[in-house]
Each structure stands twice: as C-alpha cells, then as structure tokens.
Amino acid sequence: MTALSHDGVRTGRLSSALDPEAHAIVYAPFTDAGDADPLGDELRRISEVDRAHLIMLTERGVVEPGRAAALLRAVEELRAADFGTVRGRPMPRGVYLAYEGHLIETLGDTTGGVLHTGRSRNDLNATTARLRARTPFLALLDAVDGLADVLLARAASYADVTMPAYTHGQPAVPITYGHYLAGVAGGVLRAYGRLLEAGDQLDVNPLGAGAVGGTSVPVDAERTAELLGFTATVPNSVDAVASRDFALALLSASAMLGVTLARAARDLGVWTSEESGLLRVTDTMVGSSSMMPQKRNPFPLEHVQGRATASLGAFVAAATAMTTAGYTNAIAVGTEAMRHLWPGLGDTTDAVTLLRLVVAGTEPCPDRMTERARDGFTAATYLAERLVADGMPFRAAHHRVGETVLEALESGRSLEETARFDGDLAPDRVAAACAFGGGPGADGLPPLRDLLTRHRAETAARRDRWSAAAALLDEAVGKAVRA
C-alpha cells in the first residue's frame, strides 16, 4: 500500500504533483512569488522617456549638449542604483516631481530644471502607460501563441479519433476530437488577430502633446517615437492626453478571447467526467480531495473559466470610469480606468496558460468516444442524406430516419441493421465522408497553421522593434554622455 505523501508528490490515487506552471498560477495567492516593485518600475519608465526626450531636445538645439550630458549622467546613475536616493523622498505631489526634484537638487535649477521643457505630466503619463502595457501585452500574445500551437498539434494527432459532436448536450453527428480542437483553434487565432490589432494603438506616441494644447517648444515627436519604439505620433494634442482607447481595445479583445476559453473549458470539464469518460487528464493537471481518496479533479479548468471572465469585468469597469470624464486629461481616465487593465490582461494570460496545459495533458478515450458516437445514432443525418441522394425529399427522409431510430431503440438493434442500409454507417466512415462545409472529412489545418505563422511573425516584428529602439536609445545616450 502506497503511503500518503505530504509533499504533494503522491496523494494516494495520484502519482505526481500538479504541473509547476499551473501551480504557480492557481496557488499564487498562497506562495511567496516575490514583492512587486511598482515604484521602481514607474521610475524606470519615466527615466526611459526622459532619456529620449533629452536626446531629442539636444538634437533640436533646445538644450545645450553639456547640460543634457550632465542630466543624462545623473539619470543613468539613478537607474544603475535602482533609484535608491529617490525612493525615500517625500512624494506629496507624485512620483515624477519627487524624481525631478532630486535632479534639481543634485545638478541645480539651470541643469536639472530643463528636463521637463516642452512636456507635461499629462503626455508623460500617456506615454509611460503605453510603455507599461508592452510587457503584459507581449506575455498575453506569447500565451495565446502557445495555446494555438498546442491546439493545432493535438488537432493533427487526433484527426482520426472519432467522437460525437454535441448540440444541446446530446450526441449530434460524428466528428473527430482533432476536428473539435481545430475549431477551438480557429476561435483562438481570431482572438490572436484582434489582440494584435488592438496593440497597434500601443505604437502611437503621445509625447509632445503637453498638458493638452501642445507646446511652442520645437519638439520632434517623430524622433522620440523612433527612440521609444513607436511607429506613429498622435496628430492631435487633446486626443493624445484624453484617450486611453488602447486599454479598452486590449480588454475588449481579451474579453472575446475569454469567452472562447471559458466555453472550451466547459466542454473539456464535461467530457472528463466519469459519467462521460471521453477524455482523461494527466495526473499533473488534476487534484485530489482532502477527504475523498478516489477523486481526480481537473480543477484547473475551473480556474480557466473564472479567470477568463476577468477581462470582461475589467472592460466594464474601465469603460464606466472613462464615461465620467470630459474629453481631456482626467484622473478618471488616466488612473482610475487604467488600473483595471493590468489584472484584466494578467488573468487572461493565466487562463490561456492553464488551458494550454490541460489540452497538452489530456488524451481522448477512443473506444468510449466511438461507443458514444454509435449509441447516440450520430450517423442518422448521413443516412437521411443518402436517401436524398437516391431521390427522396429531405423532409421525408428526415421523418423516415427518425422512425428508424425509434425502431432501433425499441428493438435494441443498430441503426444500420434496422435501416437495412446497404452501406457503412460506422461513425468514423461517416465523419470522413463529411468533407464539405468545413466538416471533419476536410483538412482544415493548413489555413490555420498559415494564420498562426502570420500572427507569430507580426508578434516577433513588434518585439524586435521595441528591442531595437531600446538599443538605439542606449547608443544615443552613450554618445551624448561621452560628448
């Protein structure tokens, strides 16, 4: 008899612990994942904008190169020291003014005081919000890419494993498990595309808009856009500081993805039940019971359903906050609405990751699937279509086959025997015959793979552009400091 282990590796019926990636998600509130550093992160983003802004002002002749070099050296020293001298300062008027105050005290007003030339906290905050969104945005794209990849791989592996498609919870027609997974992949890939489109708004540079009306200082927003990895500039200063549309766009796309995730999780949850028995989940993606030793609970699927809806709630909360403000810079938009973006994206990423792990760790039970397809009379529609091919009107064929199914149920014979059909009504043969209308008999995977390849390339291009801009900015700062 196997002893119960208290380290979670063996728990009686289960032979292994929960997958580490899943564990980090579902038990995150109860583990020491390290303290977040929101202040340090915000200071790093501010300083990144400062570096680009100073380079641009120097190139435009607004700031004398020597002063710019002194300021940039001070900023680089702060970044290297993780802003230690700023963290302990009083911040009665916010992070930025405390940070700028330190530079003025260190370098004097004539040097430290030029940092904010041609700029407001309004366009600065609009810029840093976009910079902040890049990391969770890319994390979500990577997660969606991984889920789509696993779905398509499993769809190919199980293309010949016949099962019933269900409508209204009842066996309908024969398909394959691979065909089902490919269907889910289609929804996930469309969401991937919507996320990429929503992310286009992250690539628009609002810097230069000032408080709301631009500036008389001859700033070059295209240059700061280049140094910060943006591809365009906002042409209207009011729009630049008033809008956080990108947050709503990202949450909207995430919410639509969440619907697909939750629906797929519901199906998998039903099919893994003992009563259904169509799927079996690996021990690394189930949990036991603290009291009932026989249990194998695919509980990560419940986390998928719970977290998949977070972006929808975040969208409603963010949009509601924004509707309270006029179309100008507003705390309700830039602060209160934006605070819902981060958990919305994070929870959606977790849901995507968990579903990927479940799909990768789940195997179909072919015999049970075939049994349910056969006993559920899923070949009935195909039989009616064969009668149509022989000249019978469809409605008459529909009635005829319905009566045949009733007779088969009463007699205990198969549909094929009862109908005296001169052909093969085996579910796998029927599924293979349904090659039109995107049915399981057609190979629908190549277009999905092509779409994944295109989305993957666009994600990589965006990541590379942001990395290249960071390197370009480092190079420009290095030259300015050495001048």
Side-chain angles (χ1 to χ4, degrees), residues 388 392-401:
V388 170
M392 183 179 294
F394 176 77
R395 190 54 56 203
H398 185 279
H399 290 165
R400 172 76 63 82
V401 173

Side-chain angles (χ1 to χ4, degrees), residues 244-262:
R244 297 294 189 275
D245 285 356
F246 73 86
L248 296 182
L250 289 173
L251 288 172
S252 175
S254 298
M256 295 176 72
L257 168 62
V259 171
T260 299
L261 301 176

Side-chain angles (χ1 to χ4, degrees), residues 46 72 138 161 181 306:
I46 290 173
L72 286 169
L138 285 177
V161 178
L181 293 177

Side-chain angles (χ1 to χ4, degrees), residues 223-447:
R223 177 57 169 158
T224 54
E226 179 186 24
L227 293 171
L228 293 171
F230 297 111
T231 59
T233 62
V234 180
N236 182 282
S237 60
V238 173
D239 191 31
V241 300
S243 174
R244 297 294 189 275
D245 285 356
F246 73 86
L248 296 182
L250 289 173
L251 288 172
S252 175
S254 298
M256 295 176 72
L257 168 62
V259 171
T260 299
L261 301 176
R263 294 178 70 186
R266 182 185 184 278
D267 285 342
L268 297 180
V270 170
W271 297 343
T272 57
S273 69
E274 290 287 341
E275 284 72 16
S276 176
L278 300 182
L279 300 173
R280 180 175 177 81
V281 185
T282 179
D283 278 6
T284 60
M285 289 305 297
V286 299
S288 185
S289 165
S290 64
M291 184 178 186
M292 298 169 284
Q294 85 282 8
K295 296 295 294 297
R296 295 184 81 257
N297 302 324
F299 73 99
L301 288 169
E302 297 179 56
H303 285 282
V304 172
Q305 291 179 293
R307 299 196 186 201
T309 60
S311 52
L312 176 59
F315 174 86
V316 172
T320 302
M322 289 187 189
T323 60
T324 66
Y327 206 74
T328 184
N329 180 72
I331 289 175
V333 176
T335 301
E336 292 304 318
M338 287 298 297
R339 69 186 178 88
H340 300 289
L341 176 60
W342 322 118
L345 294 180
D347 283 348
T348 303
T349 302
D350 288 346
V352 173
T353 301
L354 287 173
L355 187 58
R356 169 179 60 80
L357 292 170
V358 171
V359 171
T362 298
E363 294 184 356
C365 301
D367 291 344
R368 177 60 175 168
M369 285 183 163
T370 299
E371 176 189 351
R372 290 306 306 132
R374 183 184 63 248
D375 293 349
F377 297 98
T378 59
T381 300
Y382 174 78
L383 176 58
E385 290 175 345
R386 295 308 89 211
L387 294 177
V388 170
D390 290 338
M392 183 179 294
F394 176 77
R395 190 54 56 203
H398 185 279
H399 290 165
R400 172 76 63 82
V401 173
E403 293 170 350
T404 303
V405 169
L406 182 60
E407 183 181 345
L409 285 169
E410 291 173 345
S411 65
R413 293 179 298 173
S414 69
L415 179 63
E416 196 168 2
E417 292 172 331
T418 307
R420 293 181 291 278
F421 177 68
D422 186 18
D424 196 341
L425 294 181
D428 59 333
R429 298 294 182 87
V430 173
C434 294
F436 302 96
D443 184 6
L445 290 179

Side-chain angles (χ1 to χ4, degrees), residues 43-233:
L43 285 166
R44 278 183 283 275
R45 286 187 291 268
I46 290 173
S47 67
E48 193 75 356
V49 176
D50 285 348
R51 299 162 88 219
H53 187 62
L54 277 170
I55 293 295
M56 178 273 296
L57 290 177
T58 306
E59 293 174 350
R60 299 286 284 177
V62 176
V63 175
E64 190 268 326
R67 288 180 179 173
L71 255 175
L72 286 169
R73 277 193 292 270
V75 170
E76 295 305 287
E77 289 172 1
L78 281 173
R79 288 164 63 91
D82 201 21
F83 305 94
T85 54
V86 177
R87 291 174 181 268
R89 291 178 63 92
M91 298 183 182
R93 297 184 62 199
V95 175
Y96 174 75
L97 290 179
Y99 162 78
E100 184 189 49
H102 167 78
L103 292 173
I104 292 173
E105 289 177 9
T106 302
L107 302 173
D109 188 61
T110 57
T111 298
V114 304
L115 178 62
H116 211 46
T117 303
R119 197 179 68 188
S120 165
R121 275 190 296 181
N122 296 353
D123 60 338
L124 172 62
N125 289 341
T127 306
T128 57
R130 284 168 167 80
L131 297 182
R132 180 181 180 183
R134 288 177 178 180
T135 298
F137 174 60
L138 285 177
L140 178 54
L141 291 180
D142 288 344
V144 173
D145 188 285
L147 172 59
D149 191 50
V150 166
L151 285 167
L152 292 179
R154 293 300 187 274
S157 297
Y158 301 129
D160 297 325
V161 178
T162 308
M163 67 172 290
Y166 289 88
T167 61
H168 308 288
Q170 306 302 315
V173 295
I175 59 170
T176 69
Y177 183 50
H179 191 64
Y180 171 82
L181 293 177
V184 176
V188 169
L189 285 167
R190 285 193 300 278
Y192 198 163
R194 284 189 290 266
L195 285 166
L196 287 167
E197 183 178 358
D200 288 344
Q201 296 184 50
L202 290 179
D203 285 328
V204 181
N205 180 26
L207 202 61
V212 68
T215 176
S216 61
V217 176
V219 298
D220 184 354
E222 291 184 358
R223 177 57 169 158
T224 54
E226 179 186 24
L227 293 171
L228 293 171
F230 297 111
T231 59
T233 62

